[in-house]
């Protein structure tokens, strides 16, 4: 049975990810507007495949400044028995983390009132980071046709472009248990680190 027979409307194609140039334009605009938190959020989507909820939940213990790594498990898969993934941090990502690391007892990043970025009134879960990005988008780059989470797609797409197409699932933490186990094999871990660092050169060429 095909879609015509069932009289379904054909689905609209998933929007393409932001291009590298579009991404760089957004980062430049955020730097121009002196918005380091928003710049960091874009970079954490690109560098570590984070969602806004993951960023809001990051704790000091997730960052290893000596090893220059971030280790976390996506907030959306907390209920599954999957191991966290360790990402090498790009130079600019690490620089912004150091600058914005909060004095909160556990959380890396908080709002101006020292509160959780992922919680709102009555401690209910909300996407404050995504809302901030949308406000900046409307004001400063209204023609940008994507959301904050779409930068994850950009990173995964560019990994494929630079011949690391086998890393996409692990980068986005979409992997099955077998993929997760594979990640902890020494060779795959080394390749994953190389791929994420190679991705840095796409956005910050020497």
């Amino acid at each position: 049975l095909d879609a015509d027979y069932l009289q379904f409307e054909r689905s609209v194609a998933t929007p393409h990810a932001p291009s590298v140039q579009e991404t760089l334009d957004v980062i430049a605009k955020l730097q121009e507007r002196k918005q380091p938190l928003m710049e960091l959020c874009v970079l954490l989507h690109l560098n570590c495949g984070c969602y806004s909820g993951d960023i809001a939940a990051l704790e000091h213990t997730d960052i290893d400044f000596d090893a220059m790594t971030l280790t976390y498990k996506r907030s959306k898969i907390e209920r599954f028995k999957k191991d966290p993934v360790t990402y090498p941090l790009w130079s600019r990502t690490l620089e912004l983390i150091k600058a914005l690391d909060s004095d909160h007892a556990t959380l890396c990043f908080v709002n101006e009132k020292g509160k959780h970025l992922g919680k709102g009134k009555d401690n209910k879960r909300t996407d404050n980071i995504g809302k901030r990005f949308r406000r900046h988008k409307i004001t400063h780059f209204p023609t940008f046709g994507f959301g904050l989470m779409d930068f994850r797609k950009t990173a995964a797409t560019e990994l494929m472009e630079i011949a690391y197409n086998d890393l996409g699932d692990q980068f986005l933490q979409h992997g099955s248990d077998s993929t997760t186990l594979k990640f902890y094999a020494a060779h795959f871990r080394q390749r994953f680190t190389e791929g994420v660092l190679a991705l840095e050169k796409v956005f910050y060429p020497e």
Side-chain angles (χ1 to χ4, degrees):
L1 298 180
D2 61 24
D4 293 329
Y5 179 82
L6 294 172
Q7 297 183 334
F8 289 157
E9 287 189 17
R10 296 188 182 276
S11 61
V12 177
T14 301
H16 294 296
S19 68
V20 172
Q21 188 56 57
E22 287 173 316
T23 299
L24 293 175
D25 289 345
V26 168
I27 291 172
K29 182 62 71 174
L30 292 171
Q31 290 176 340
E32 178 187 320
R33 304 302 302 179
K34 295 182 171 55
Q35 296 295 327
L37 178 60
M38 282 294 93
E39 181 189 353
L40 175 59
C41 290
V42 171
L43 289 181
L44 286 172
H45 279 69
L46 293 168
N47 185 169
C48 305
C50 294
Y51 278 107
S52 297
D54 304 324
I55 297 169
L58 288 177
E59 299 185 353
H60 300 298
T61 53
D62 297 330
I63 313 292
D64 186 329
F65 288 104
D66 293 329
M68 299 175 62
T69 59
L70 183 153
T71 301
Y72 80 100
K73 180 165 69 173
R74 275 185 54 206
S75 56
K76 289 189 175 183
I77 61 171
E78 280 295 332
R79 65 184 182 278
F80 300 116
K81 293 181 178 179
K82 294 185 182 295
D83 293 312
V85 176
T86 297
Y87 298 78
L89 291 170
W90 302 346
S91 297
R92 180 59 178 168
T93 310
L94 185 62
E95 178 184 346
L96 287 170
I97 289 174
K98 287 180 177 179
L100 296 170
D101 196 21
S102 76
D103 294 328
H104 190 277
T106 55
L107 297 172
C108 286
F109 313 115
V110 293
N111 65 20
E112 292 80 359
K113 296 181 179 180
K115 303 294 184 181
H116 197 296
L117 281 167
K119 294 180 180 178
K121 190 176 181 181
D122 299 325
N123 215 34
K124 291 182 179 179
R125 185 173 178 175
T126 185
D127 184 8
N128 289 319
I129 293 173
K131 288 177 182 177
R132 287 187 184 207
F133 183 81
R134 286 191 290 275
R135 287 197 297 270
H136 285 294
K137 173 182 167 179
I138 290 169
T139 306
H140 303 302
F141 33 94
T143 60
F144 182 71
F146 303 93
L148 184 58
M149 70 174 64
D150 290 320
F151 290 116
R152 285 167 34 90
K153 301 176 192 175
T154 301
T157 300
E158 292 305 317
L159 274 174
M160 289 190 289
E161 290 292 328
I162 57 176
Y164 288 94
N165 53 305
D166 57 321
L167 305 182
D169 282 343
Q170 193 64 34
F171 179 83
L172 297 172
Q173 298 199 33
H174 286 169
S176 62
D177 291 331
S178 60
T179 304
T180 302
L181 291 171
K182 179 182 176 184
F183 174 69
Y184 285 96
H187 173 73
F188 193 78
R189 278 191 58 84
Q190 180 180 351
R191 180 166 171 76
F192 184 82
T193 298
E194 289 173 354
V196 176
L197 292 178
L199 194 57
E200 177 179 20
K201 295 179 181 178
V202 172
F203 297 95
Y204 296 93
E206 297 176 353

